[in-house]
Amino acid sequence: MTSETQPQSSLESSSNSYKAVELEKKWQKQWMRSNLYKTKQPLANQKTFYALSMFPYPSGSLHMGHVRNYVITDVIARLHRMKGDAVLHPMGWDAFGLPAENAARERGIDADKWTNTNIEQMRIQLKRLGLSIDWDKEISTCHEDYYKWTQYIFLELLNSGLAYQKSATVNWDPIDKTVLANEQVDSNGRSWRSGAKVEKRKLKQWFLKITDYAEELLQDLNKLKGWPENVKVMQKNWIGKSIGAEIDFTINDSNLNQKIKVFTTRPDTIFGANYIVISPEHSLIDDIIDDNYKQALIDFRETINDLSDQDRTSETKPKTGIYTGRDAINPVTGEIIPIWVGDYVLSTYATGAVMGVPAHDDRDYEFAIKYSLPITYVIQDPNDSSKEQLSKAYTQKGVLINSASFTGLDSDVAKTKIIEFGEKHNWANRKVTYKLRDWLISRQRFWGCPIPVIHCNSCGVVGVEKESLPILLVSPNKDKSNLTNKAEKVICPKCQKQATAETDTMDTFMCSSWYFLRYVDNKNSNKPFSSELIDKWLPVDQYVGGIEHAILHLLYSRFLVKALKSTKLINIDEPFNNLLTQGMVQGLTFRSKITHKYVASKLIKDPLNPIDPDTGEDLDTIYEKMSKSKYNGVEPSEVINKYGADTARLFILFKAPPEKDLEWNESDVEGQFRFINRIWRIFSDNRSNFELKYVSPSFKPKDLSKEDKELRKIIHKTIKEVTKDLELNSQFNTAISELMILLNAIYEYKDKCNKTIINQSLTALTILIAPFAPHLSEELWEMLGKDNSIHDQSWPEFDPSVLIEEEYKLIIQVNGKVRGFIMVPSSYNEEQIKESSLNTQVAKKWLNGKDAKRLIIIKGKLINIVV
Ligand SMILES: [Zn+2]
């Protein structure tokens, strides 16, 4: 063993320190040889438990965020295995995507080789964490036996009308040369991956009809009781349901028999509609624009051509527009109001036209001020009527003013009445809209799942026959700088004529939106999965992953499950029953106060007074998410080589509750290593003294001393608390605190109790710490004389009778004066206390044959008899 693998703490010198790294390797070898973590078929009446981590992208190295994610899932999986459930705990690889393709292009390596090498490296790193993964269930989305079924699922969607192709203005990333989904463009209009300014292009694209499921995806959030509230709110906002009305505004020109349909969520403000704004892409625009304004429109379109939807609707960007030279008629006021074109109105949202109500909408207000349009207030703050003429928009609900017969009504009531009025007069329709757009899945990339369709001159787009799947990746030509897929010649399955194969591949989110279904049946070569097995194992009992997937991945997975249910491939309607979104792992970060430049922690001599080695300037010390660019990362392998995986696991679980951010701190890591060593020493230093042996925590020895009883009580309290912490809300940190209390008690009582009770406490500690420190507990288990694996051991149950004080002294008062006492069992309820108190000599004497006027009982203390 080299000096690097030895802990640098003071414990190193101890002759009896725990050889974590050596022992962990030993147990990992044994586990690999055994069937310990294999998924067992559930017995009759046995509960199944599906523990799932979000699978990683195979970048080649595990980071601390991964470690935290998988350790949390592992503790949960181990607990349920010990509780007697049939557990499925799989792992796989989200293996398509750009980095492999970029590596192939830049370094001339095959994308599949690059990916598979990374997978091999990461699998080794995962195994060193001591995870109870069933590696027989492993999948990789880039392997033929997986993507064949992704294609199969695509064809199912195509055949049921849920996949379609249409020409669309798309977000084009000029660096990665691909189309991005709206969600992959940040609020500054840049690609989430390359950071490039996104351009607009018109291309034929494949879409999935997620919008068909908008209402169901929204309503079924109510079924997800085991999801964090914030994730549900994010999904709800993303779906963005709003109830409003479509309202027709007639164009004020008898030659133009046209109406403009606007959508509004605030029909109650229609009396304040001072103008109309339509999107520059609106289908009627070329018909209605006045000849004198046509050039202005062409120029205007030029100025917004490069802007993303996010740019155009961004709150910080000034709104711009032009007058069309045409007006419309407000259907309630009869006023003539101008029609404008505005960049902030998108043709893809609702009708692509809005009514401008500057008094009650911030964007409209800004637009009206800029172009000197009138502003009419029609809603009043019910608590402050002085705000009628404001210097800004009043966007809340309130009471209607300046609204003819609707004046005085409350906004909500007026909304309904105005829609009814408009429906009666044929200018309004109640309308529900969603912000959710169909899911754009095609990518012009090589390293992805090929879309299994062909283009035939006679038959159009035709899905490939399922028998001929998989449609293999087109192997890239020797010149890896050009990896665009070739449009190969194929035979049309319908008419047998020559046709061309589709060259687009699918968004990797498509591959990851069904992987949890494949795990249960990953060797099936006839179907993507058997629906009987899905029924047996799903919905997933516990899903663990990062909050960054709160919207897209989780929404796409929910959609796909619902779509597959409608095609009768499965029976479930939600994929994940319980969701835990773990917080970030943050590293100690040093940053310049002036330039905000990051300085590597290796260059800092005194972390308490950090100074920039180049400039001598004082630096800020902060905790931020670990990343290469901030030089604040901690390599999992370094920690494992120094302290072992059990220490890393305990630290991660102890330092913060799982959903909170975790600040990596070396001295706290050492603290956990010392905890492990204290456990280790109480076993190894007392082998002969305690006559170490397994004693079941449920065993009830006779003739116990006061100290024996006290320690036994602590054992059962620990079992109770740890079980509660793990089962109710994954509070691993408080569970580990309880184990520390138990260990302290064992040290305190080790010379005062009989050996049976001491061994019972050691047995309990070993079993309870097993999910957290799987290697250490195996070693201790062996020292207790057991030859099976502790991970096959069943979880202990606490004995409530041990936990209660057996009896206590109950003071008896008569008319508030102490007259005596009795000993009562602490399990007694008020009725039993009353009965035994009244039966005492003292009570009988003072009552003298009469009933008590009143009885006042203070449980655990006294009874006052009022005579
Ligand atoms: Zn054809």
PDB file of all heavy atoms in Angstrom, residues 708-738:
ATOM      1  N   ASP A 708     -28.165  -3.144  32.392  1.00  0.00           N
ATOM      2  CA  ASP A 708     -28.555  -3.988  31.245  1.00  0.00           C
ATOM      3  C   ASP A 708     -29.837  -3.437  30.615  1.00  0.00           C
ATOM      4  O   ASP A 708     -29.959  -3.319  29.391  1.00  0.00           O
ATOM      5  CB  ASP A 708     -28.821  -5.431  31.693  1.00  0.00           C
ATOM      6  CG  ASP A 708     -27.549  -6.146  32.122  1.00  0.00           C
ATOM      7  OD1 ASP A 708     -26.455  -5.702  31.709  1.00  0.00           O
ATOM      8  OD2 ASP A 708     -27.653  -7.138  32.873  1.00  0.00           O
ATOM      9  N   LYS A 709     -30.793  -3.103  31.506  1.00  0.00           N
ATOM     10  CA  LYS A 709     -32.075  -2.590  31.009  1.00  0.00           C
ATOM     11  C   LYS A 709     -31.880  -1.258  30.291  1.00  0.00           C
ATOM     12  O   LYS A 709     -32.495  -0.997  29.260  1.00  0.00           O
ATOM     13  CB  LYS A 709     -33.061  -2.409  32.164  1.00  0.00           C
ATOM     14  CG  LYS A 709     -33.669  -3.707  32.656  1.00  0.00           C
ATOM     15  CD  LYS A 709     -34.673  -3.415  33.763  1.00  0.00           C
ATOM     16  CE  LYS A 709     -35.183  -4.724  34.371  1.00  0.00           C
ATOM     17  NZ  LYS A 709     -35.930  -4.462  35.608  1.00  0.00           N
ATOM     18  N   GLU A 710     -31.016  -0.426  30.848  1.00  0.00           N
ATOM     19  CA  GLU A 710     -30.782   0.892  30.238  1.00  0.00           C
ATOM     20  C   GLU A 710     -30.193   0.757  28.833  1.00  0.00           C
ATOM     21  O   GLU A 710     -30.638   1.410  27.886  1.00  0.00           O
ATOM     22  CB  GLU A 710     -29.848   1.737  31.123  1.00  0.00           C
ATOM     23  CG  GLU A 710     -30.561   2.312  32.323  1.00  0.00           C
ATOM     24  CD  GLU A 710     -29.619   2.907  33.376  1.00  0.00           C
ATOM     25  OE1 GLU A 710     -28.386   2.865  33.182  1.00  0.00           O
ATOM     26  OE2 GLU A 710     -30.128   3.386  34.387  1.00  0.00           O
ATOM     27  N   LEU A 711     -29.189  -0.120  28.691  1.00  0.00           N
ATOM     28  CA  LEU A 711     -28.573  -0.281  27.365  1.00  0.00           C
ATOM     29  C   LEU A 711     -29.566  -0.902  26.379  1.00  0.00           C
ATOM     30  O   LEU A 711     -29.647  -0.508  25.213  1.00  0.00           O
ATOM     31  CB  LEU A 711     -27.284  -1.124  27.459  1.00  0.00           C
ATOM     32  CG  LEU A 711     -26.540  -1.313  26.132  1.00  0.00           C
ATOM     33  CD1 LEU A 711     -26.199   0.019  25.473  1.00  0.00           C
ATOM     34  CD2 LEU A 711     -25.250  -2.125  26.332  1.00  0.00           C
ATOM     35  N   ARG A 712     -30.348  -1.861  26.874  1.00  0.00           N
ATOM     36  CA  ARG A 712     -31.346  -2.489  26.001  1.00  0.00           C
ATOM     37  C   ARG A 712     -32.373  -1.475  25.497  1.00  0.00           C
ATOM     38  O   ARG A 712     -32.811  -1.521  24.343  1.00  0.00           O
ATOM     39  CB  ARG A 712     -32.071  -3.598  26.769  1.00  0.00           C
ATOM     40  CG  ARG A 712     -32.056  -4.927  26.020  1.00  0.00           C
ATOM     41  CD  ARG A 712     -32.611  -6.038  26.852  1.00  0.00           C
ATOM     42  NE  ARG A 712     -34.021  -6.306  26.576  1.00  0.00           N
ATOM     43  CZ  ARG A 712     -34.477  -6.836  25.450  1.00  0.00           C
ATOM     44  NH1 ARG A 712     -33.647  -7.147  24.486  1.00  0.00           N
ATOM     45  NH2 ARG A 712     -35.759  -7.068  25.285  1.00  0.00           N
ATOM     46  N   LYS A 713     -32.676  -0.547  26.361  1.00  0.00           N
ATOM     47  CA  LYS A 713     -33.619   0.495  25.971  1.00  0.00           C
ATOM     48  C   LYS A 713     -33.018   1.374  24.853  1.00  0.00           C
ATOM     49  O   LYS A 713     -33.713   1.726  23.885  1.00  0.00           O
ATOM     50  CB  LYS A 713     -33.943   1.351  27.195  1.00  0.00           C
ATOM     51  CG  LYS A 713     -35.201   2.123  27.048  1.00  0.00           C
ATOM     52  CD  LYS A 713     -35.599   2.686  28.386  1.00  0.00           C
ATOM     53  CE  LYS A 713     -36.198   4.042  28.194  1.00  0.00           C
ATOM     54  NZ  LYS A 713     -36.449   4.719  29.460  1.00  0.00           N
ATOM     55  N   ILE A 714     -31.735   1.688  24.994  1.00  0.00           N
ATOM     56  CA  ILE A 714     -31.072   2.497  23.958  1.00  0.00           C
ATOM     57  C   ILE A 714     -31.024   1.734  22.624  1.00  0.00           C
ATOM     58  O   ILE A 714     -31.256   2.303  21.557  1.00  0.00           O
ATOM     59  CB  ILE A 714     -29.656   2.918  24.422  1.00  0.00           C
ATOM     60  CG1 ILE A 714     -29.772   3.837  25.645  1.00  0.00           C
ATOM     61  CG2 ILE A 714     -28.887   3.624  23.298  1.00  0.00           C
ATOM     62  CD1 ILE A 714     -28.466   4.119  26.357  1.00  0.00           C
ATOM     63  N   ILE A 715     -30.761   0.422  22.701  1.00  0.00           N
ATOM     64  CA  ILE A 715     -30.748  -0.396  21.470  1.00  0.00           C
ATOM     65  C   ILE A 715     -32.090  -0.272  20.745  1.00  0.00           C
ATOM     66  O   ILE A 715     -32.155   0.007  19.547  1.00  0.00           O
ATOM     67  CB  ILE A 715     -30.490  -1.893  21.796  1.00  0.00           C
ATOM     68  CG1 ILE A 715     -29.102  -2.086  22.408  1.00  0.00           C
ATOM     69  CG2 ILE A 715     -30.670  -2.765  20.551  1.00  0.00           C
ATOM     70  CD1 ILE A 715     -28.866  -3.496  22.967  1.00  0.00           C
ATOM     71  N   HIS A 716     -33.174  -0.452  21.484  1.00  0.00           N
ATOM     72  CA  HIS A 716     -34.490  -0.471  20.832  1.00  0.00           C
ATOM     73  C   HIS A 716     -34.938   0.923  20.403  1.00  0.00           C
ATOM     74  O   HIS A 716     -35.631   1.071  19.396  1.00  0.00           O
ATOM     75  CB  HIS A 716     -35.517  -1.180  21.728  1.00  0.00           C
ATOM     76  CG  HIS A 716     -35.361  -2.662  21.644  1.00  0.00           C
ATOM     77  ND1 HIS A 716     -36.051  -3.439  20.764  1.00  0.00           N
ATOM     78  CD2 HIS A 716     -34.492  -3.496  22.279  1.00  0.00           C
ATOM     79  CE1 HIS A 716     -35.655  -4.690  20.869  1.00  0.00           C
ATOM     80  NE2 HIS A 716     -34.705  -4.760  21.791  1.00  0.00           N
ATOM     81  N   LYS A 717     -34.495   1.929  21.154  1.00  0.00           N
ATOM     82  CA  LYS A 717     -34.792   3.301  20.729  1.00  0.00           C
ATOM     83  C   LYS A 717     -34.077   3.592  19.407  1.00  0.00           C
ATOM     84  O   LYS A 717     -34.644   4.200  18.489  1.00  0.00           O
ATOM     85  CB  LYS A 717     -34.337   4.280  21.809  1.00  0.00           C
ATOM     86  CG  LYS A 717     -34.700   5.708  21.486  1.00  0.00           C
ATOM     87  CD  LYS A 717     -34.472   6.620  22.675  1.00  0.00           C
ATOM     88  CE  LYS A 717     -34.772   8.057  22.324  1.00  0.00           C
ATOM     89  NZ  LYS A 717     -33.697   8.719  21.594  1.00  0.00           N
ATOM     90  N   THR A 718     -32.836   3.111  19.285  1.00  0.00           N
ATOM     91  CA  THR A 718     -32.065   3.328  18.044  1.00  0.00           C
ATOM     92  C   THR A 718     -32.748   2.625  16.866  1.00  0.00           C
ATOM     93  O   THR A 718     -32.893   3.197  15.791  1.00  0.00           O
ATOM     94  CB  THR A 718     -30.624   2.819  18.209  1.00  0.00           C
ATOM     95  OG1 THR A 718     -30.082   3.345  19.418  1.00  0.00           O
ATOM     96  CG2 THR A 718     -29.761   3.245  17.036  1.00  0.00           C
ATOM     97  N   ILE A 719     -33.173   1.380  17.088  1.00  0.00           N
ATOM     98  CA  ILE A 719     -33.859   0.648  16.003  1.00  0.00           C
ATOM     99  C   ILE A 719     -35.093   1.431  15.566  1.00  0.00           C
ATOM    100  O   ILE A 719     -35.328   1.654  14.374  1.00  0.00           O
ATOM    101  CB  ILE A 719     -34.277  -0.772  16.468  1.00  0.00           C
ATOM    102  CG1 ILE A 719     -33.037  -1.602  16.818  1.00  0.00           C
ATOM    103  CG2 ILE A 719     -35.106  -1.473  15.387  1.00  0.00           C
ATOM    104  CD1 ILE A 719     -33.356  -2.948  17.468  1.00  0.00           C
ATOM    105  N   LYS A 720     -35.844   1.901  16.551  1.00  0.00           N
ATOM    106  CA  LYS A 720     -37.079   2.629  16.249  1.00  0.00           C
ATOM    107  C   LYS A 720     -36.782   3.901  15.446  1.00  0.00           C
ATOM    108  O   LYS A 720     -37.390   4.149  14.399  1.00  0.00           O
ATOM    109  CB  LYS A 720     -37.782   2.989  17.558  1.00  0.00           C
ATOM    110  CG  LYS A 720     -39.088   3.707  17.355  1.00  0.00           C
ATOM    111  CD  LYS A 720     -39.673   4.164  18.673  1.00  0.00           C
ATOM    112  CE  LYS A 720     -40.930   4.985  18.409  1.00  0.00           C
ATOM    113  NZ  LYS A 720     -41.391   5.670  19.613  1.00  0.00           N
ATOM    114  N   GLU A 721     -35.827   4.690  15.930  1.00  0.00           N
ATOM    115  CA  GLU A 721     -35.559   5.990  15.307  1.00  0.00           C
ATOM    116  C   GLU A 721     -34.931   5.847  13.917  1.00  0.00           C
ATOM    117  O   GLU A 721     -35.290   6.556  12.985  1.00  0.00           O
ATOM    118  CB  GLU A 721     -34.642   6.832  16.207  1.00  0.00           C
ATOM    119  CG  GLU A 721     -35.267   7.223  17.534  1.00  0.00           C
ATOM    120  CD  GLU A 721     -36.502   8.091  17.371  1.00  0.00           C
ATOM    121  OE1 GLU A 721     -36.521   8.950  16.463  1.00  0.00           O
ATOM    122  OE2 GLU A 721     -37.470   7.891  18.142  1.00  0.00           O
ATOM    123  N   VAL A 722     -33.967   4.937  13.781  1.00  0.00           N
ATOM    124  CA  VAL A 722     -33.305   4.762  12.478  1.00  0.00           C
ATOM    125  C   VAL A 722     -34.329   4.282  11.449  1.00  0.00           C
ATOM    126  O   VAL A 722     -34.378   4.779  10.315  1.00  0.00           O
ATOM    127  CB  VAL A 722     -32.116   3.778  12.598  1.00  0.00           C
ATOM    128  CG1 VAL A 722     -31.572   3.412  11.216  1.00  0.00           C
ATOM    129  CG2 VAL A 722     -31.007   4.390  13.448  1.00  0.00           C
ATOM    130  N   THR A 723     -35.174   3.350  11.838  1.00  0.00           N
ATOM    131  CA  THR A 723     -36.187   2.833  10.913  1.00  0.00           C
ATOM    132  C   THR A 723     -37.119   3.956  10.476  1.00  0.00           C
ATOM    133  O   THR A 723     -37.425   4.109   9.289  1.00  0.00           O
ATOM    134  CB  THR A 723     -37.003   1.712  11.598  1.00  0.00           C
ATOM    135  OG1 THR A 723     -36.093   0.756  12.134  1.00  0.00           O
ATOM    136  CG2 THR A 723     -37.929   1.031  10.616  1.00  0.00           C
ATOM    137  N   LYS A 724     -37.536   4.758  11.458  1.00  0.00           N
ATOM    138  CA  LYS A 724     -38.436   5.871  11.153  1.00  0.00           C
ATOM    139  C   LYS A 724     -37.767   6.877  10.198  1.00  0.00           C
ATOM    140  O   LYS A 724     -38.355   7.307   9.211  1.00  0.00           O
ATOM    141  CB  LYS A 724     -38.828   6.560  12.466  1.00  0.00           C
ATOM    142  CG  LYS A 724     -40.038   7.459  12.352  1.00  0.00           C
ATOM    143  CD  LYS A 724     -40.426   8.013  13.705  1.00  0.00           C
ATOM    144  CE  LYS A 724     -39.532   9.188  14.072  1.00  0.00           C
ATOM    145  NZ  LYS A 724     -39.756   9.705  15.425  1.00  0.00           N
ATOM    146  N   ASP A 725     -36.503   7.223  10.513  1.00  0.00           N
ATOM    147  CA  ASP A 725     -35.786   8.189   9.671  1.00  0.00           C
ATOM    148  C   ASP A 725     -35.658   7.699   8.233  1.00  0.00           C
ATOM    149  O   ASP A 725     -35.767   8.469   7.286  1.00  0.00           O
ATOM    150  CB  ASP A 725     -34.379   8.451  10.225  1.00  0.00           C
ATOM    151  CG  ASP A 725     -34.417   9.282  11.495  1.00  0.00           C
ATOM    152  OD1 ASP A 725     -35.438   9.953  11.720  1.00  0.00           O
ATOM    153  OD2 ASP A 725     -33.439   9.252  12.259  1.00  0.00           O
ATOM    154  N   LEU A 726     -35.403   6.410   8.066  1.00  0.00           N
ATOM    155  CA  LEU A 726     -35.198   5.878   6.718  1.00  0.00           C
ATOM    156  C   LEU A 726     -36.520   5.717   5.981  1.00  0.00           C
ATOM    157  O   LEU A 726     -36.612   5.995   4.797  1.00  0.00           O
ATOM    158  CB  LEU A 726     -34.473   4.535   6.776  1.00  0.00           C
ATOM    159  CG  LEU A 726     -33.021   4.584   7.266  1.00  0.00           C
ATOM    160  CD1 LEU A 726     -32.384   3.210   7.147  1.00  0.00           C
ATOM    161  CD2 LEU A 726     -32.211   5.600   6.483  1.00  0.00           C
ATOM    162  N   GLU A 727     -37.527   5.244   6.692  1.00  0.00           N
ATOM    163  CA  GLU A 727     -38.769   4.895   5.986  1.00  0.00           C
ATOM    164  C   GLU A 727     -39.620   6.106   5.678  1.00  0.00           C
ATOM    165  O   GLU A 727     -40.229   6.195   4.629  1.00  0.00           O
ATOM    166  CB  GLU A 727     -39.580   3.908   6.822  1.00  0.00           C
ATOM    167  CG  GLU A 727     -39.039   2.505   6.705  1.00  0.00           C
ATOM    168  CD  GLU A 727     -39.965   1.497   7.305  1.00  0.00           C
ATOM    169  OE1 GLU A 727     -40.718   1.858   8.230  1.00  0.00           O
ATOM    170  OE2 GLU A 727     -39.921   0.338   6.860  1.00  0.00           O
ATOM    171  N   LEU A 728     -39.696   7.037   6.618  1.00  0.00           N
ATOM    172  CA  LEU A 728     -40.648   8.127   6.442  1.00  0.00           C
ATOM    173  C   LEU A 728     -40.171   9.165   5.441  1.00  0.00           C
ATOM    174  O   LEU A 728     -40.877   9.529   4.531  1.00  0.00           O
ATOM    175  CB  LEU A 728     -40.969   8.781   7.779  1.00  0.00           C
ATOM    176  CG  LEU A 728     -41.917   7.973   8.657  1.00  0.00           C
ATOM    177  CD1 LEU A 728     -42.321   8.769   9.878  1.00  0.00           C
ATOM    178  CD2 LEU A 728     -43.173   7.566   7.884  1.00  0.00           C
ATOM    179  N   ASN A 729     -38.959   9.661   5.629  1.00  0.00           N
ATOM    180  CA  ASN A 729     -38.560  10.733   4.724  1.00  0.00           C
ATOM    181  C   ASN A 729     -37.075  10.750   4.396  1.00  0.00           C
ATOM    182  O   ASN A 729     -36.505  11.814   4.184  1.00  0.00           O
ATOM    183  CB  ASN A 729     -38.994  12.092   5.278  1.00  0.00           C
ATOM    184  CG  ASN A 729     -38.791  12.170   6.776  1.00  0.00           C
ATOM    185  OD1 ASN A 729     -38.136  11.301   7.341  1.00  0.00           O
ATOM    186  ND2 ASN A 729     -39.328  13.183   7.413  1.00  0.00           N
ATOM    187  N   SER A 730     -36.447   9.584   4.354  1.00  0.00           N
ATOM    188  CA  SER A 730     -35.044   9.488   3.957  1.00  0.00           C
ATOM    189  C   SER A 730     -34.150  10.487   4.705  1.00  0.00           C
ATOM    190  O   SER A 730     -33.333  11.160   4.096  1.00  0.00           O
ATOM    191  CB  SER A 730     -34.892   9.711   2.448  1.00  0.00           C
ATOM    192  OG  SER A 730     -35.649   8.770   1.755  1.00  0.00           O
ATOM    193  N   GLN A 731     -34.335  10.585   6.003  1.00  0.00           N
ATOM    194  CA  GLN A 731     -33.483  11.486   6.789  1.00  0.00           C
ATOM    195  C   GLN A 731     -32.250  10.715   7.258  1.00  0.00           C
ATOM    196  O   GLN A 731     -32.118  10.332   8.419  1.00  0.00           O
ATOM    197  CB  GLN A 731     -34.261  12.078   7.964  1.00  0.00           C
ATOM    198  CG  GLN A 731     -35.362  13.021   7.524  1.00  0.00           C
ATOM    199  CD  GLN A 731     -34.867  14.151   6.614  1.00  0.00           C
ATOM    200  OE1 GLN A 731     -34.041  14.966   7.008  1.00  0.00           O
ATOM    201  NE2 GLN A 731     -35.343  14.181   5.369  1.00  0.00           N
ATOM    202  N   PHE A 732     -31.329  10.509   6.301  1.00  0.00           N
ATOM    203  CA  PHE A 732     -30.148   9.701   6.590  1.00  0.00           C
ATOM    204  C   PHE A 732     -29.264  10.347   7.654  1.00  0.00           C
ATOM    205  O   PHE A 732     -28.631   9.663   8.447  1.00  0.00           O
ATOM    206  CB  PHE A 732     -29.326   9.489   5.318  1.00  0.00           C
ATOM    207  CG  PHE A 732     -30.150   9.022   4.157  1.00  0.00           C
ATOM    208  CD1 PHE A 732     -30.287   9.800   3.021  1.00  0.00           C
ATOM    209  CD2 PHE A 732     -30.812   7.803   4.215  1.00  0.00           C
ATOM    210  CE1 PHE A 732     -31.061   9.376   1.954  1.00  0.00           C
ATOM    211  CE2 PHE A 732     -31.586   7.368   3.154  1.00  0.00           C
ATOM    212  CZ  PHE A 732     -31.711   8.163   2.020  1.00  0.00           C
ATOM    213  N   ASN A 733     -29.215  11.685   7.640  1.00  0.00           N
ATOM    214  CA  ASN A 733     -28.323  12.368   8.588  1.00  0.00           C
ATOM    215  C   ASN A 733     -28.741  12.123  10.033  1.00  0.00           C
ATOM    216  O   ASN A 733     -27.900  11.830  10.882  1.00  0.00           O
ATOM    217  CB  ASN A 733     -28.236  13.865   8.269  1.00  0.00           C
ATOM    218  CG  ASN A 733     -29.598  14.530   8.159  1.00  0.00           C
ATOM    219  OD1 ASN A 733     -30.594  13.881   7.832  1.00  0.00           O
ATOM    220  ND2 ASN A 733     -29.659  15.815   8.443  1.00  0.00           N
ATOM    221  N   THR A 734     -30.034  12.187  10.328  1.00  0.00           N
ATOM    222  CA  THR A 734     -30.443  11.955  11.711  1.00  0.00           C
ATOM    223  C   THR A 734     -30.319  10.471  12.064  1.00  0.00           C
ATOM    224  O   THR A 734     -30.015  10.133  13.205  1.00  0.00           O
ATOM    225  CB  THR A 734     -31.887  12.438  11.954  1.00  0.00           C
ATOM    226  OG1 THR A 734     -32.736  11.872  10.964  1.00  0.00           O
ATOM    227  CG2 THR A 734     -31.987  13.948  11.876  1.00  0.00           C
ATOM    228  N   ALA A 735     -30.499   9.594  11.087  1.00  0.00           N
ATOM    229  CA  ALA A 735     -30.314   8.160  11.344  1.00  0.00           C
ATOM    230  C   ALA A 735     -28.867   7.883  11.772  1.00  0.00           C
ATOM    231  O   ALA A 735     -28.615   7.141  12.727  1.00  0.00           O
ATOM    232  CB  ALA A 735     -30.670   7.345  10.099  1.00  0.00           C
ATOM    233  N   ILE A 736     -27.910   8.500  11.073  1.00  0.00           N
ATOM    234  CA  ILE A 736     -26.505   8.284  11.428  1.00  0.00           C
ATOM    235  C   ILE A 736     -26.205   8.874  12.814  1.00  0.00           C
ATOM    236  O   ILE A 736     -25.469   8.278  13.598  1.00  0.00           O
ATOM    237  CB  ILE A 736     -25.577   8.858  10.324  1.00  0.00           C
ATOM    238  CG1 ILE A 736     -25.771   8.037   9.040  1.00  0.00           C
ATOM    239  CG2 ILE A 736     -24.110   8.820  10.750  1.00  0.00           C
ATOM    240  CD1 ILE A 736     -25.118   8.638   7.801  1.00  0.00           C
ATOM    241  N   SER A 737     -26.828  10.010  13.142  1.00  0.00           N
ATOM    242  CA  SER A 737     -26.665  10.562  14.504  1.00  0.00           C
ATOM    243  C   SER A 737     -27.114   9.561  15.558  1.00  0.00           C
ATOM    244  O   SER A 737     -26.472   9.415  16.596  1.00  0.00           O
ATOM    245  CB  SER A 737     -27.509  11.827  14.699  1.00  0.00           C
ATOM    246  OG  SER A 737     -27.152  12.791  13.778  1.00  0.00           O
ATOM    247  N   GLU A 738     -28.229   8.892  15.293  1.00  0.00           N
ATOM    248  CA  GLU A 738     -28.726   7.893  16.244  1.00  0.00           C
ATOM    249  C   GLU A 738     -27.713   6.766  16.435  1.00  0.00           C
ATOM    250  O   GLU A 738     -27.518   6.270  17.541  1.00  0.00           O
ATOM    251  CB  GLU A 738     -30.052   7.290  15.757  1.00  0.00           C
ATOM    252  CG  GLU A 738     -31.216   8.264  15.670  1.00  0.00           C
ATOM    253  CD  GLU A 738     -31.710   8.733  17.036  1.00  0.00           C
ATOM    254  OE1 GLU A 738     -31.464   8.016  18.029  1.00  0.00           O
ATOM    255  OE2 GLU A 738     -32.306   9.826  17.095  1.00  0.00           O
TER     256      GLU A 738
END
